[in-house]
Amino acid sequence: MSFLRTIQRSALHTLRSPPVKSQFQRSALPRIYSRSASTMAPKLNDPSLLKTDVSYVNGEWVKAASGKTFEVHDPSTGSLIGTVPEMDGADTEKAISAATAAFKSFKATTGRERSKLLRKWYDLMLENADDLAKLITWENGKPYADAKGEVAYAANFFEWFSEEAPRIYGDTIPVSAAGNRVSTIRQPVGVCGLITPWNFPAAMITRKVGPALAAGCTTVVKAPGETPFSALAMAELAHRAGVPKGVYNVVTCLDNTPEIGKVLTTHPEIRKVSFTGSTGVGKILMEQSSSTLKILSMELGGNAPFIVFDDADVDAAVAGAIASKFRSSGQTCVCANRLYVQKGIYDEFAAKFAEKVKGFKVGHGFDEGVTHGPLVHGRAVGKVEEHVRDAESKGAKVTVGGQKLPDLGENFFQPTVITGMTKEMRIASEETFGPVAGLFPFATEQEVVDLANDAEVGLAGYFFSRDIERIYRVAEALEVGMVGVNTGLISDPASPFGGVKQSGFGREGSKYGIEEYQNIKTITYGGMGKPLQS
C-alpha cells in the first residue's frame, strides 16, 4: 500500500460502536484505550538496529568525547527507551572533518555509482521496514500503521534520487562572441549540514540525504533529540549498504542543540545547511550562516488554510480535511490549521466532520486499531490546550474533544473540533501543531482568499471545489508554496516541497530537489571560431 493510501486509511478509520464517555468529557469524545500491553518495549527482528550510547561518525560508532549521554523516552508511556551521546561542538567538528575528507573522493564518483549506493540503501530500508516502523512508533508515538507508511515514504526518496543521480546534465549555450563556446556543468556544493525534526524521524532524513548523496555531497546530520534512534538505524543500514566512511555522519544531542547548530552554520567547511523546523529557529540559523554565506534551504512553519466552497463534494471534503488535519495527531507542518467552510454548507460539513472525529481511536501506537497517538511532549500538549481554551473564551464551541487524557498518559489530548471560530482567536494566526480543528465560516471567494493569505507564513493550502474556473483562480491566488485541490494529502517524492514568505525557501524532493545541492559552473572556451584548415 502506498504511503498516501496508508495514511488516509488510518486517518479515516472509524468505530462502529458509540464513542466512550469519561469523566474528562465536556463534549463528544473520541474513543480511547487504557494502558495495555503496548506499554512494553517492542521486539525488533534485528535488535542491532537499535543503537544506544553511540553516534555514527566517519563510518564508526562513537561516544561523545565528554562521555555524557541523554535519555530518550517513549512519549506514550514516559518509559525510557535508551540513552545516546550528548555530543558538543568539538564532536561536531570531528564529524565535519570526516565529511570534508570524504568529499575529496566522493565528489569524483560517477552518478551511476552513487545511484547504486542509494538503491542499496533503499532496498535495505524495505527489508527492515517493520523494525524501522517500530522505532518510529516507539520514539515518536505515531500509530504503527502510520509509521509503516512513513518508512515507505522515506525509502522512496532514496529510490527517487537514485534515479536522478545519473541524470545530472549541463547546458550548451549560444553566445554573442563568434569565437567563444559556453557550456555549464553541475558540481556538488560540498559538505552539507542537515538539521532534521522529530515529527518524521526517517523521512526528513532521506528527503535531505538522498539528493545530497545523489549530487556527490557528504553530510553531517544533526538528529532531533526527541527521535535519534531512527537516524542511527539509518546509519547502520548505510554502513551495510557500503556508503563510504565520512559520507553520512550523525551527531546526537539534546541540551547542546544550539551549540551544534552554531557550529554547522558557521564552520567554513560546511557549504550548505538544510533545516526543517520552526520559523523562529530558522531565522537564527540563517543569521548565523551569513558569516560564511552558506547556501541554505529552509522548510519552516506553516499555518495551512483548508477551504471548502459550497459547490464542493462535502463528503470528499470531509475525508480530505480529516486526512490533512489529523495526520500524525496534527503534528506536521502541512496540516490544515484553519478550516474555512462556506456558510451554505457550514452546518452540514461541521456535523459530518465531527462524526468522523468521534470515531477515532486514541491510544498507544502499538495497540491494534489505534488511529492517533500522543503528542511529542508536555509543551505540545500545553500549547494545544491554550488554543482550545482561548477559542472557548472568545465564543467558540467545542463540539468534539477539547480535553487532556490523563488516563492514557500526560502527552495525550483528545482530537478536537471547534465551531464558530473567528479571526480574533489564536488558531487564526498561530500554528497549533496538534489535533485541533477550528472551523471558520465565510461568505465569499474574495473574503476567504484574503483570510487565507493573512498570514506571515505560506507553506501549504488546500481547497475543495467543483468549479473549474474557481479552481484556477483560487489556486493561483493563494500565497503558499503548495496547493492541494480536492485532496488533503500532497506529499510525494516526485513533487517539489517548500513554501513562500516566512515558511522558507528552497525545494525538497522532485527533480528540483537535487539542484539545491549543486553549483552551476560556467566554462567559456575562447578561440574556437577559426575556419577549417585546408
Side-chain angles (χ1 to χ4, degrees):
M1 182 181 294
S2 70
F3 169 74
L4 299 183
R5 288 179 60 198
T6 300
I7 293 297
Q8 192 167 36
R9 180 177 177 181
S10 174
L12 300 182
H13 183 76
T14 58
L15 288 174
R16 295 180 180 176
S17 56
V20 172
K21 299 181 183 296
S22 81
Q23 61 179 325
F24 307 107
Q25 176 179 356
R26 289 165 48 122
S27 53
L29 169 65
R31 185 172 182 122
I32 64 172
Y33 279 105
S34 60
R35 292 186 182 273
S36 69
S38 67
T39 60
M40 299 176 62
K43 183 178 180 180
L44 301 182
N45 300 315
D46 181 356
S48 68
L49 288 177
L50 176 61
K51 299 295 184 183
T52 59
D53 298 318
V54 290
S55 293
Y56 188 73
V57 174
N58 202 29
E60 298 178 352
W61 297 103
V62 300
K63 298 179 181 294
S66 66
K68 294 180 179 179
T69 62
F70 66 94
E71 296 182 345
V72 181
H73 294 268
D74 179 346
S76 283
T77 66
S79 60
L80 178 68
I81 299 174
T83 58
V84 292
E86 181 69 61
M87 303 181 87
D88 58 19
D91 294 309
T92 304
E93 289 181 359
K94 291 179 182 177
I96 294 171
S97 295
T100 301
F103 180 65
K104 295 176 182 178
S105 57
F106 192 66
K107 68 179 180 180
T109 57
T110 66
R112 184 62 63 189
E113 289 173 309
R114 300 192 297 271
S115 174
K116 290 177 180 177
L117 281 176
L118 287 171
R119 182 70 194 200
K120 180 60 176 175
W121 204 351
Y122 163 79
D123 290 338
L124 287 169
M125 285 192 69
L126 295 188
E127 291 172 15
N128 293 276
D130 288 346
D131 282 348
L132 293 175
K134 288 175 184 176
L135 289 173
I136 291 172
T137 295
W138 199 5
E139 64 181 351
N140 171 278
K142 67 178 62 176
Y144 184 59
D146 284 7
K148 289 189 73 173
E150 182 187 338
V151 173
Y153 177 54
N156 285 344
F157 282 107
F158 282 163
E159 181 186 42
W160 174 268
F161 286 109
S162 75
E163 295 163 347
E164 290 293 295
R167 296 173 177 84
I168 297 173
Y169 300 113
D171 294 302
T172 300
I173 301 174
V175 294
S176 11
N180 286 354
R181 302 290 183 268
V182 174
S183 64
T184 64
I185 59 174
R186 292 181 176 271
Q187 296 180 310
V189 299
V191 179
C192 301
L194 309 177
I195 305 174
T196 64
W198 52 262
N199 56 344
F200 288 90
M204 296 302 95
I205 290 174
T206 61
R207 198 165 76 182
K208 298 178 189 296
V209 172
L213 268 61
C217 300
T218 56
T219 61
V220 177
V221 175
K222 191 279 173 192
E226 299 87 347
T227 59
F229 292 114
S230 294
L232 296 171
M234 296 289 292
E236 172 63 25
L237 297 182
H239 196 84
R240 297 178 191 179
V243 174
K245 66 177 186 179
V247 171
Y248 176 72
N249 304 278
V250 180
V251 294
T252 56
C253 71
L254 187 62
D255 292 339
N256 291 335
T257 294
E259 178 184 353
I260 288 180
K262 189 168 184 179
V263 171
L264 291 175
T265 51
T266 58
H267 197 289
E269 291 297 337
I270 295 283
R271 302 303 168 86
K272 176 189 171 67
V273 170
S274 178
F275 170 69
T276 297
S278 72
T279 297
V281 174
K283 290 179 179 180
I284 294 172
L285 298 176
M286 188 174 177
E287 181 178 5
Q288 292 173 174
S289 297
S290 68
S291 64
T292 49
L293 290 179
K294 299 195 188 305
I295 301 169
L296 298 175
S297 295
M298 294 281 169
E299 194 265 282
L300 308 177
N303 187 355
F306 189 104
I307 304 167
V308 186
F309 290 102
D310 56 13
D311 63 1
D313 179 330
V314 174
D315 291 334
V318 167
I322 291 290
S324 175
K325 172 67 253 181
F326 291 105
R327 174 183 169 199
S328 296
S329 296
Q331 298 177 110
T332 86
C333 53
V334 292
C335 276
N337 197 61
R338 300 168 287 157
L339 280 70
Y340 296 106
V341 185
Q342 202 156 17
K343 291 179 178 179
I345 59 167
Y346 185 91
D347 291 341
E348 178 187 3
F349 179 92
K352 290 183 174 180
F353 184 75
E355 193 62 31
K356 289 289 186 182
V357 176
K358 291 175 187 177
F360 290 165
K361 295 182 180 180
V362 183
H364 302 290
F366 291 113
D367 278 340
E368 184 178 354
V370 163
T371 59
H372 296 81
L375 300 186
V376 68
H377 46 51
R379 297 189 304 278
V381 175
K383 183 178 182 181
V384 167
E385 187 171 36
E386 287 175 7
H387 278 196
V388 173
R389 301 287 86 84
D390 171 77
E392 280 188 312
S393 71
K394 295 173 181 175
K397 179 182 179 182
V398 175
T399 62
V400 179
Q403 298 294 316
K404 298 178 183 178
L405 293 170
D407 278 0
L408 281 177
E410 62 182 15
N411 294 331
F412 286 88
F413 197 92
Q414 299 169 4
T416 300
V417 179
I418 309 177
T419 58
M421 297 291 297
T422 66
K423 64 181 181 180
E424 291 75 27
M425 299 169 186
R426 287 178 60 183
I427 292 175
S429 57
E430 298 179 17
E431 185 178 26
T432 305
F433 226 67
V436 177
L439 275 56
F440 298 75
F442 74 91
T444 69
E445 185 180 296
Q446 184 64 60
E447 175 194 3
V448 76
V449 169
D450 289 344
L451 288 169
N453 289 341
D454 187 19
E456 294 180 341
V457 293
L459 188 57
Y462 310 83
F463 69 92
F464 276 69
S465 172
R466 288 183 283 196
D467 182 332
I468 190 64
E469 294 181 1
R470 168 176 281 165
I471 285 173
Y472 273 90
R473 285 195 305 271
V474 175
E476 293 176 4
L478 289 175
E479 295 174 355
V480 295
M482 299 171 286
V483 178
V485 181
N486 294 328
T487 180
L489 296 170
I490 57 175
S491 298
D492 189 312
S495 176
F497 192 103
V500 298
K501 299 196 286 190
Q502 293 192 39
S503 285
F505 44 83
R507 292 297 180 267
E508 294 186 313
S510 81
K511 68 175 185 178
Y512 303 107
I514 197 169
E515 295 176 3
E516 301 285 340
Y517 295 87
Q518 297 172 322
N519 289 322
I520 297 176
K521 177 178 286 184
T522 302
I523 304 174
T524 301
Y525 304 89
M528 304 296 290
K530 297 178 180 178
L532 293 172
Q533 295 180 356
S534 57

